[in-house]
Amino acid sequence: MVEVDVVNLLHDGRIGLAPMEGVIDAATRDLLTRTAGIDWTVTEFVRVVDARLPPRVFLRHCPELAGGDPRTPSGAPVHLQLLGSDPVALAANARQALALGATSLDLNFGCPAKLVNRHDGGASMLRTPWRLRTAVSAVHDAVGDVIPVTAKIRLGFADRRLALDCARATEDGGASQLVVHARTRNEGYRPPAHWEWIGRIRRRLSIPVIANGDIWTLEDYWKARTLSGCRDVMLGRGALADSGLAPRIRHWQGTGEHLPPTPWADKASLLLDYAAMQRSILSSKTVVARLKQWMNHMRGRDPEAARCFQALRRITELDDFLAGLRASMTSEAPALPA
Ligand SMILES: Cc1cc2nc3c(=O)[nH]c(=O)nc-3n(C[C@H](O)[C@H](O)[C@H](O)COP(=O)(O)O)c2cc1C
């Protein structure tokens, strides 16, 4: 009976698309929310140091702001993420974001990058929960009456000793929702993700806690939800590796059916759409680099993606790359363009 209840509980729950700097831009958010599955998205972080940033910086990270209510074309809300440690600067930029039309602000306390951490941003804040609370509270005082302020943390910097204190600090500071990436900063992206630790946090907080880290398959989704007890999850690399993951989870939630694996042709078609959207905005070289980066996320879990990546990885010309990609959709082994 207990098992049946758990399965019933798993049949709802929201799915967020994780922020990924240099990877998940507005075009990717658009593409990954075209099929039902993703309920909300988050921008790449806007780095806040000491000054109020000009509108163009916000619009670069979140072009969706230009339409007023920031959403992807298919309607998924886009939350704007800020990264910083100075409460005054964070508050000033939160007000700026609000004035530009942001409808939800997320604060990044998980970034492991050495440069960011050296300047006291991202995961380095996890060493001092009181500072984390001050930062969240400054942003909440600035805009919290008008729009929600949320936070994203890891389980700690070097170890998990302060995990609960950090989580509580975000709630005490006024965060209305917390995403927990189930690893410490020093664990980087190495498996496993400690989903049971998200459960420990969830039990101590009264705000919704969202499970994040290493959800690559429907089975991972069940495990992450069961071990964390969280209703909602956030998908990052898993959604890039398999654009069908969120729709597969959504389909299973609605019907109990398991959809077949996403065909390579569907994934390649998504990459072609991405290139078509970006080639008038970015340089050809950058588009090729972005395509390779996305394929790199796909190839670990899809032999056809791995074969195609191997065949195309040395190509730098965009049209050649796209020709190879198109060929890979119909032939067994992608042909290298002459
Ligand atoms: C290349 C890359 C860029 C990322 N950029 C951000 C970011 O801008 N903001 C953020 O909060 N997390 C960022 N993350 C962390 C992800 O949002 C997510 O927490 C992490 O990848 C674990 O989830 P996953 O296993 O589903 O990918 C990034 C991760 C990667 C791999």
Side-chain angles (χ1 to χ4, degrees), residues 18-21 23 44-45 81 108 152 181 183 189 212-215 234-238:
M20 286 179 67
E21 198 235 345
V23 183
E44 300 160 80
F45 65 79
Q81 189 179 68
N108 175 332
K152 184 161 177 286
H181 174 189
R183 275 184 274 255
Y189 294 92
N212 170 240
D214 272 1
I215 299 176
M234 179 172 266
L235 308 177
R237 293 163 302 160

Side-chain angles (χ1 to χ4, degrees), residues 31 42 44 69 96-97 105 126-127 138 145 160 165 170 176 190 193 276 281 291 293 304 306:
L31 290 168
V42 187
E44 300 160 80
D69 178 18
Q96 176 79 307
L105 283 185
L126 300 172
R127 293 187 276 212
D145 287 343
R160 297 175 214 140
D165 292 343
T170 66
S176 60
R190 275 193 311 281
I281 302 170
L291 290 170
Q293 189 179 41
E304 282 192 76

Side-chain angles (χ1 to χ4, degrees), residues 9 13 23 27 31 37 63 89 113 127 133 181 235 253-254 260 270 289 297 305 320 323:
L9 281 176
V23 183
L31 290 168
R127 293 187 276 212
R133 179 193 161 137
H181 174 189
L235 308 177
Q253 285 178 335
L270 201 69
H297 284 285
D320 293 345

Side-chain angles (χ1 to χ4, degrees), residues 136-259:
V136 178
S137 159
V139 173
H140 183 259
D141 289 350
V143 301
D145 287 343
V146 192
I147 57 173
V149 176
T150 61
K152 184 161 177 286
I153 62 171
R154 286 177 175 248
L155 294 175
F157 191 85
D159 57 53
R160 297 175 214 140
R161 268 180 296 181
L162 294 176
L164 296 173
D165 292 343
C166 286
R168 215 174 290 116
T170 66
E171 175 168 293
D172 292 348
S176 60
Q177 171 173 295
L178 175 67
V179 175
V180 181
H181 174 189
R183 275 184 274 255
T184 63
R185 182 266 182 198
N186 283 1
E187 285 169 335
Y189 294 92
R190 275 193 311 281
H194 309 284
W195 294 319
E196 70 287 357
W197 268 81
I198 307 181
R200 287 189 187 192
I201 290 173
R202 182 190 57 76
R203 286 192 289 277
R204 305 284 172 85
L205 262 55
S206 50
I207 56 174
V209 172
I210 292 158
N212 170 240
D214 272 1
I215 299 176
W216 300 93
T217 62
L218 180 58
E219 290 70 23
D220 292 338
Y221 170 76
W222 300 335
K223 280 189 211 151
R225 283 206 50 196
T226 309
L227 286 176
S228 69
C230 292
R231 183 175 176 273
D232 304 326
V233 304
M234 179 172 266
L235 308 177
R237 293 163 302 160
L240 284 173
D242 176 5
S243 51
L245 177 59
R248 177 170 304 111
I249 294 171
R250 184 62 84 234
H251 184 82
W252 177 81
Q253 285 178 335
T255 64
E257 291 167 10
H258 292 229
L259 287 175

Side-chain angles (χ1 to χ4, degrees), residues 237-319:
R237 293 163 302 160
L240 284 173
D242 176 5
S243 51
L245 177 59
R248 177 170 304 111
I249 294 171
R250 184 62 84 234
H251 184 82
W252 177 81
Q253 285 178 335
T255 64
E257 291 167 10
H258 292 229
L259 287 175
T262 314
W264 165 243
D266 289 7
K267 298 179 191 172
S269 160
L270 201 69
L271 294 172
L272 290 171
D273 287 345
Y274 180 80
M277 291 163 81
Q278 296 292 59
R279 65 182 308 160
S280 59
I281 302 170
L282 304 173
S283 72
S284 297
K285 276 204 167 55
T286 308
V287 178
V288 172
R290 290 277 181 126
L291 290 170
K292 286 183 188 172
Q293 189 179 41
W294 196 340
M295 282 177 81
N296 195 30
H297 284 285
M298 293 173 170
R299 75 189 171 115
R301 288 166 184 266
D302 181 337
E304 282 192 76
R307 221 171 22 238
C308 185
F309 182 85
Q310 185 61 22
L312 304 184
R313 73 196 167 95
R314 293 195 195 287
I315 297 180
T316 52
E317 285 304 318
L318 179 57
D319 286 324

